[in-house]
């Protein structure tokens, strides 16, 4: 069986690393990787392929565009051509980016089966481009691999039981990645020593709802600037955030570093005291590495973590951000619930592909 995997953005490289690694051991599956080019900086793309030994993409469309429609349209066009020439049995997409939707649409129009990994997640915020991408991709997918029981319930409440598709809880491939690369990261990453990190808060933010709204952006910056003198804040700065912070002339009074590779990120996660983020992936990784998380959003796809209490939604309210950080630093949380499948998601996905496609 030939599978065309479409990736384009940082979190997809990490997810693909976990799945491709297991796929390589399956003689009956031949994977061809297509990179749309959505993320192109070396520290947003190439570093992940190199460090995590993801097979070299057979195709790179090199598509970068600032307009969403242009980007998605050009991706559909490029992916369509490759589907026609490669004739895959199925196309595999991850998550919720424009690359995900473009891959799914191109595939659907050519009647090629679609596998969606990280299906069923919902924020129920229809203003989020990611929410639209995931809903549309789910609806036209043939095999929907859900990371959690909640994701399965979301699909059921939308009537997926009556649709012509298969959905199942496979577990979360990001846990597979975290578990597999954790030991390697320990031997390869020197970031904690290099930056002399001890007692610190790890911050990442890049969601359009925060970076494209000057009010929210400056409130977040204000809150974290105020934390830094008492508790060191380390921020690997996403290129989109960098652009808008500079355009608004905001000063980041914290330890700002360029985006880091996955091994460095794992070591930052292991050694920090708390995570502050608007990233979907980081919220879970905080849990994997047993760190509380303050989430700079008004809602989350990972509601189970909020219910457990170890993740708190604070939006962009500067007072709430600051008080929550100090409050959560004092509390103890239980990280023992096995919510994400125990590290066998990639194997489960491959078994599902072999069984249902
Ligand atoms: N990540 C990384 N380096 C960074 C920031 C994030 O390796 O400087 C990893 C992070 O550990 C997680 C993934 O990128 O595995 C999350 O990606 P991102 O926050 O860009 O996207 P989201 O998860 O919100 O879709």
């Amino acid at each position: 069986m030939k599978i065309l995997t479409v990736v384009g953005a940082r979190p997809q490289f990490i997810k693909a690393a976990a799945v491709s690694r297991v796929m390589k051991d399956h003689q009956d599956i031949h994977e061809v990787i297509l990179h749309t080019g959505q993320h192109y900086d070396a520290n947003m793309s190439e570093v992940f392929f190199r460090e995590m030994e993801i097979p070299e993409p057979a195709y790179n469309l090199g598509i970068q565009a600032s307009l969403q429609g242009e980007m998605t349209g050009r991706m559909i066009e490029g992916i369509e051509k490759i589907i026609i020439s490669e004739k895959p049995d199925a196309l595999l997409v991850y998550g919720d980016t424009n690359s995900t939707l473009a891959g799914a649409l191109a595939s659907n129009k050519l009647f090629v089966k679609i596998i969606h990994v990280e299906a069923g997640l919902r924020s129920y915020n229809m203003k989020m481009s990611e929410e639209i991408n995931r809903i549309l991709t789910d609806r036209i997918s043939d095999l929907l691999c859900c990371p959690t029981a909640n994701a399965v319930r979301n699909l059921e409440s939308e009537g997926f039981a009556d649709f012509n598709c298969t959905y199942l809880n496979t577990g979360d491939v990001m846990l597979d990645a975290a578990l597999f690369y954790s030991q390697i990261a320990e031997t390869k990453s020197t970031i904690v020593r290099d930056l002399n990190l001890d007692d610190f808060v790890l911050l990442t933010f890049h969601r359009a709802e925060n970076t494209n709204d000057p009010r929210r952006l400056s409130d977040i910056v204000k809150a974290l600037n105020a934390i830094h003198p008492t508790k060191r804040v380390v921020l690997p700065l996403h290129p989109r955030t960098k652009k808008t912070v500079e355009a608004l002339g905001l000063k980041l009074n914290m330890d700002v570093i360029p985006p880091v590779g996955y091994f460095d990120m794992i070591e930052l996660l292991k050694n920090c005291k708390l995570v502050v983020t608007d990233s979907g992936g980081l919220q879970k990784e905080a849990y994997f590495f047993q760190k509380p998380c303050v989430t700079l959003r008004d809602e989350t796809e990972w509601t189970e973590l909020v219910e457990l209490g170890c993740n708190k939604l604070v939006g962009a309210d500067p007072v709430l951000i600051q008080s929550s950080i100090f409050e959560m630093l004092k509390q103890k949380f239980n990280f023992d619930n096995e919510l994400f499948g125990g590290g066998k998601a990639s194997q489960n996905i491959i078994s599902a592909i072999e069984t249902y496609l």
Side-chain angles (χ1 to χ4, degrees):
M1 182 188 300
K2 188 196 269 189
I3 295 194
L4 180 65
T5 296
V6 174
V7 292
R10 177 170 65 188
Q12 292 165 334
F13 308 142
I14 293 161
K15 292 164 197 167
V19 177
S20 300
R21 201 179 60 77
V22 179
M23 223 181 249
K24 264 188 281 184
D25 297 336
H26 286 250
Q27 300 297 322
D28 54 333
I29 298 183
H30 170 56
E31 185 183 36
V32 177
I33 298 182
L34 185 167
H35 188 327
T36 61
Q38 188 176 341
H39 281 169
Y40 51 90
D41 294 338
N43 57 14
M44 295 292 287
S45 174
E46 190 253 323
V47 63
F48 297 98
F49 283 85
R50 182 170 28 85
E51 275 189 346
M52 302 169 87
E53 297 176 355
I54 307 169
E56 189 71 23
Y59 302 93
N60 190 326
L61 301 179
I63 294 170
Q64 292 111 37
S66 53
L67 291 171
Q68 302 266 324
E70 182 192 349
M71 186 199 289
T72 314
R74 286 176 54 204
M75 284 177 184
I76 295 172
E77 202 181 328
I79 297 167
E80 182 175 61
K81 286 199 183 98
I82 293 163
I83 296 176
I84 290 168
S85 65
E86 282 285 343
K87 298 184 186 53
D89 298 292
L91 177 132
L92 190 158
V93 284
Y94 293 97
D96 55 23
T97 69
N98 290 341
S99 302
T100 314
L101 179 63
L105 283 174
S107 194
N108 169 269
K109 308 261 177 213
L110 292 168
F111 307 105
V112 172
K113 294 222 156 111
I114 303 165
I115 305 156
H116 186 201
V117 172
E118 212 176 65
L121 294 181
R122 297 291 180 265
S123 67
Y124 297 103
N125 176 356
M126 295 297 278
K127 292 209 176 88
M128 265 179 96
S129 145
E130 293 91 337
E131 181 76 354
I132 308 305
N133 291 342
R134 54 173 93 97
I135 290 174
L136 299 181
T137 302
D138 279 346
R139 187 62 188 86
I140 57 175
S141 289
D142 296 276
L143 178 60
L144 294 94
C145 302
C146 300
T148 58
N150 266 358
V152 170
R153 276 193 289 275
N154 292 340
L155 293 179
E156 280 170 349
S157 72
E158 291 174 22
F160 273 70
D162 296 327
F163 301 161
N164 189 16
C165 65
T166 303
Y167 58 88
L168 72 166
N169 181 359
T170 53
D172 191 339
V173 294
M174 289 196 73
L175 177 57
D176 298 19
L179 292 173
F180 182 79
Y181 293 103
S182 174
Q183 275 188 354
I184 307 174
E186 223 158 274
T187 62
K188 303 263 175 180
S189 167
T190 57
I191 192 161
V192 171
R193 205 174 344 118
D194 295 347
L195 299 181
N196 195 17
L197 295 173
D198 175 17
D199 190 13
F200 69 100
V201 165
L202 173 62
L203 168 67
T204 79
F205 65 110
H206 70 281
R207 293 248 93 78
E209 73 209 55
N210 287 329
T211 57
N212 294 357
D213 180 336
R215 181 71 206 263
R216 283 181 76 101
L217 183 59
S218 57
D219 279 350
I220 291 170
V221 168
K222 190 162 91 186
L224 274 306
N225 277 347
I227 295 285
H228 185 62
T230 2
K231 194 85 174 170
R232 196 167 168 192
V233 177
V234 177
L235 167 63
L237 188 59
H238 191 283
R240 179 202 280 164
T241 316
K242 183 170 193 279
K243 226 160 116 186
T244 46
V245 161
E246 283 170 2
L248 288 175
L250 296 171
K251 290 270 162 298
L252 295 168
N253 297 322
M254 56 191 90
D255 290 331
V256 179
I257 56 175
V260 294
Y262 189 58
F263 294 168
D264 282 346
M265 182 46 89
I266 289 181
E267 289 308 300
L268 290 175
L269 280 158
K270 282 185 195 162
N271 288 281
C272 72
K273 294 284 189 271
L274 175 135
V275 174
V276 180
T277 192
D278 64 7
S279 156
L282 256 297
Q283 290 177 61
K284 282 174 301 161
E285 286 166 337
Y287 184 78
F288 302 157
F289 292 102
Q290 314 212 332
K291 303 296 151 95
C293 182
V294 170
T295 299
L296 304 168
R297 290 183 52 194
D298 301 319
E299 72 284 308
T300 180
E301 298 76 25
W302 308 104
T303 48
E304 44 285 89
L305 300 178
V306 177
E307 280 152 25
L308 283 179
C310 58
N311 184 339
K312 185 163 179 202
L313 296 173
V314 296
D317 176 339
V319 177
L320 190 58
I321 296 173
Q322 288 181 60
S323 60
S324 304
I325 291 175
F326 287 120
E327 236 169 67
M328 292 190 75
L329 278 168
K330 279 191 237 133
Q331 289 175 47
K332 291 260 170 293
F333 298 97
N334 175 8
F335 297 97
D336 295 339
N337 289 286
E338 193 147 292
L339 301 169
F340 298 99
K344 297 266 182 292
S346 306
Q347 186 53 59
N348 292 339
I349 288 165
I350 289 155
S351 304
I353 292 172
E354 290 170 337
T355 310
Y356 298 111
L357 288 189

